[in-house]
Amino acid sequence: MPIFTAPDGTPLAYHVRGEGEPLVVLPGGPMRASEYLGDLGGLAARRRLILLDLRGTGDSSAPADPATYRCDRQVEDVEALRVHLGLERMDLLAHSAGGSLALLYAARHPRRVARLVLVTVIPRVLGRPATPGERLAAARLRADEPWFTTAFPAFEAWTAGGEDVDLTAVDAFFYGRWDDTARAHAAAADEQTDEEAEGRFHDPAAYDPPAVRAALAGVDAPVLVLAGELDGGPRPEPARLLADAFPHAEFAVQPGAAHYPWLDDPAWFTARTEAFLAGEAPPPAAAE
């Protein structure tokens, strides 16, 4: 397990899976250990995944100052990893809340990004969080699922900020297929997530939407924004705002996928992602 040192002296860990050209991967959660990403649906067969454990998660150490869990305070951790790996520019993939970190990194270090993949990322850095109405609209798309009738009231209560909600029922809406693999993936979340860091990551002070929007407009790197057809955070429509923020961006919606598209249809996800990273046209089945 490789270790490098963040600018503030915090030892950080990353995990290497697969062979080929490196792809640096930032996990979401927020602040969930990179273990939940697995091999990204088999993408490790095509790329060498460099999966960062953000500070305080997985095998990375907790910082001396908990304030550094804030998203913008972790940008230089990503830059320290790039330097450690000896990469002039790097391909970068980020999932969910990790996308906020990747976007702030691209805004601050635009010349260090070769290609950027944003997977089910809410455009929070642009001042556009997911809304309860959007989450409920996406949930209602699952009305034909056998578990919907019992799970939807819990999900509705969760979007309203209710307490004592059955989160097991809520979890079902984050997966395109609520099967044994999805259940095990969801069940591991609590153990893999740093609760204190999770609460600090999305501090509103971390984001300056007008400044970020202006900076992203100057990023020359190709960008792929990938949304899930069934995802409520984000729905495809607001996810497209991220693609619109870049001068060279592609937008794709994965059919039948929710928040973890590499679990819902690994073949679709890996084919679309690898085609983009290789600078090729998307496969016909994955074209937008």
Side-chain angles (χ1 to χ4, degrees), residues 5-253:
T5 303
D8 67 350
T10 303
L12 302 180
Y14 61 94
H15 303 266
V16 181
R17 296 194 179 102
E19 303 288 339
E21 292 296 313
L23 174 63
V24 174
V25 182
L26 304 182
M31 300 304 290
R32 186 172 176 179
S34 66
E35 179 183 1
Y36 84 95
L37 296 162
D39 67 354
L40 285 175
L43 192 60
R46 313 179 190 203
R47 299 294 294 252
R48 178 161 54 95
L49 305 183
I50 310 295
L51 299 124
L52 176 63
D53 280 339
L54 303 183
R55 52 180 53 219
T57 70
D59 292 309
S60 288
S61 298
D65 181 4
T68 62
Y69 287 132
R70 203 173 84 175
C71 182
D72 60 330
R73 300 284 297 274
Q74 298 192 59
V75 169
E76 296 311 311
D77 292 354
V78 181
E79 174 63 359
L81 175 58
R82 180 196 66 79
V83 173
H84 170 78
L85 295 171
L87 300 174
E88 182 68 20
R89 302 171 74 209
M90 61 182 173
D91 289 341
L92 188 61
L93 182 148
H95 172 244
S96 190
S100 294
L101 178 55
L103 287 160
L104 294 185
Y105 178 83
R108 194 180 300 178
H109 299 284
R111 298 180 185 276
R112 299 305 185 182
V113 180
R115 287 181 175 268
L116 174 62
V117 182
L118 300 170
V119 180
T120 60
V121 175
I122 295 171
R124 191 185 303 266
V125 301
L126 302 181
R128 181 60 166 82
T131 68
E134 289 167 350
R135 291 190 183 278
L136 290 171
R140 291 188 180 100
L141 296 174
R142 318 299 296 279
D144 292 337
E145 299 278 3
W147 44 262
F148 178 86
T149 301
T150 54
F152 185 73
F155 189 82
E156 197 169 25
W158 176 74
T159 61
E163 299 180 358
D164 299 323
V165 175
D166 179 5
L167 294 180
T168 302
V170 171
D171 287 338
F173 293 96
F174 286 81
Y175 297 85
R177 298 184 302 179
W178 189 231
D179 54 15
D180 289 344
T181 298
R183 290 183 177 89
H185 190 265
D190 285 347
E191 184 178 345
Q192 294 170 348
T193 302
D194 183 307
E195 186 173 348
E196 179 186 6
E198 180 184 24
R200 291 177 178 269
F201 184 84
H202 281 312
D203 185 327
Y207 307 121
D208 182 347
V212 172
R213 189 181 297 274
L216 296 181
V219 174
D220 289 332
V223 178
L224 171 63
V225 177
L226 194 155
E229 178 188 20
L230 304 177
D231 195 10
R235 297 294 298 129
E237 294 81 4
R240 188 183 288 273
L241 296 176
L242 289 172
D244 293 342
F246 291 94
H248 309 292
E250 302 175 20
F251 180 70
V253 178

